[in-house]
Amino acid sequence: MRKLAISILGADFMDLRSTLELCESLGDRLHFDVMDGHFVPNLSFGFPVLASLKTRLPIDAHLMIANPEQYAAQYAAYCDTVYIHAETGLDIWLDCANQVRSLGKNCGIVVNPQTAVEDILPLLDQLTHILIMSVEPGFGGQECQTSVFEKIRTLKQQKPSLVLSVDGGINAKTAPLARDAGADVLISGSFILKAKDPAHAANLVRGVSVS
Ligand code: DX5
Ligand code: ZN
């Protein structure tokens, strides 16, 4: 069944508890964006914040950091799934996957809009979770590049068991296209957290019709 993951990048950090409660009432998963100012030109939050989160939702940590192999295990301790960018190198991804999986957690791979599906095919046998970026990583609130949804179709055909997520600019207009392409997890941040009516926004992303 298709899932909604809410990115807390745009949360009100003075009132993170309320954001988590909202995410728990509307979403299936929590999306935690880690940025280091090197791999992407922005900083967000890191391990101490993650370790302090109290939530019943499974957490996906999206590591937009240089040298993820130094930190992957630390994040895995508090997550369900750790996502590492293909752009850090396939050998680095394999190193991270070994560390994360030895802790009994999932390790997914992330592909930027410019990265071709063919670039990760050498790893296909080992992949269970793939995150397709529909914006350049680094900032919330960007416009979705819907052309990347074709990657979802290609990957689903190649390996139907993959859990495919899409991240960036997912809203009422772009979510139906991502759903049609076969996305399993829709990641949405600002469209839901900045909405006047977040519950309605979440329904629109899920494609639930409400009167
Ligand atoms: C971008 C992040 C996304 C982003 C999603 O680098 O990985 O998770 O926060 O937020 P919206 O939905 O605002 O694009
Ligand atoms: Zn993300």
Side-chain angles (χ1 to χ4, degrees):
M1 212 183 75
R2 191 172 290 115
K3 305 285 186 200
L4 170 62
I6 302 180
S7 165
I8 61 167
L9 191 59
D12 170 3
F13 294 104
M14 285 295 281
D15 196 6
L16 193 50
R17 190 182 294 272
S18 298
T19 300
L20 292 184
E21 285 168 4
L22 186 67
C23 292
E24 287 180 348
S25 70
L26 302 180
D28 306 300
R29 313 181 67 81
L30 208 67
H31 185 82
F32 190 83
D33 285 310
V34 183
M35 304 178 185
D36 68 351
H38 293 280
F39 185 74
V40 288
N42 198 10
L43 287 166
S44 61
F45 32 64
F47 182 71
V49 177
L50 177 65
S52 71
L53 295 183
K54 303 255 183 311
T55 178
R56 62 174 174 75
L57 293 179
I59 300 175
D60 298 325
H62 174 190
L63 302 190
M64 289 164 270
I65 61 175
N67 309 116
E69 71 283 5
Q70 292 177 17
Y71 307 99
Q74 223 176 341
Y75 282 96
Y78 291 90
C79 289
D80 176 73
T81 306
V82 179
Y83 281 96
I84 308 288
H85 272 260
E87 294 79 13
T88 59
L90 299 190
D91 50 341
I92 300 281
W93 184 87
L94 277 168
D95 182 355
C96 294
N98 284 334
Q99 295 184 48
V100 168
R101 288 171 177 168
S102 72
L103 295 168
K105 304 299 175 72
N106 300 305
C107 189
I109 196 164
V110 189
V111 286
N112 279 343
Q114 312 281 0
T115 302
V117 160
E118 289 68 30
D119 293 356
I120 59 165
L121 290 185
L123 290 178
L124 194 61
D125 282 353
Q126 318 212 34
L127 297 177
T128 56
H129 294 66
I130 303 181
L131 192 162
I132 307 293
M133 288 306 298
S134 41
V135 296
E136 289 302 323
F139 299 89
Q142 301 183 74
E143 194 172 329
C144 180
Q145 300 178 31
T146 53
S147 58
V148 304
F149 294 165
E150 206 46 43
K151 294 179 186 175
I152 302 173
R153 289 200 168 82
T154 307
L155 285 163
K156 269 283 168 197
Q157 271 179 358
Q158 295 260 355
K159 190 171 179 182
S161 66
L162 285 168
V163 176
L164 293 172
S165 300
V166 64
D167 187 13
I170 298 299
N171 57 32
K173 275 195 187 144
T174 56
L177 304 174
R179 294 196 305 265
D180 282 355
D184 301 294
V185 182
L186 301 176
I187 300 160
S188 186
S190 42
F191 180 68
I192 293 175
L193 293 184
K194 307 235 186 274
K196 278 201 185 115
D197 183 348
H200 182 61
N203 280 334
L204 289 173
V205 172
R206 286 184 189 276
V208 174
S209 55
V210 277
S211 52

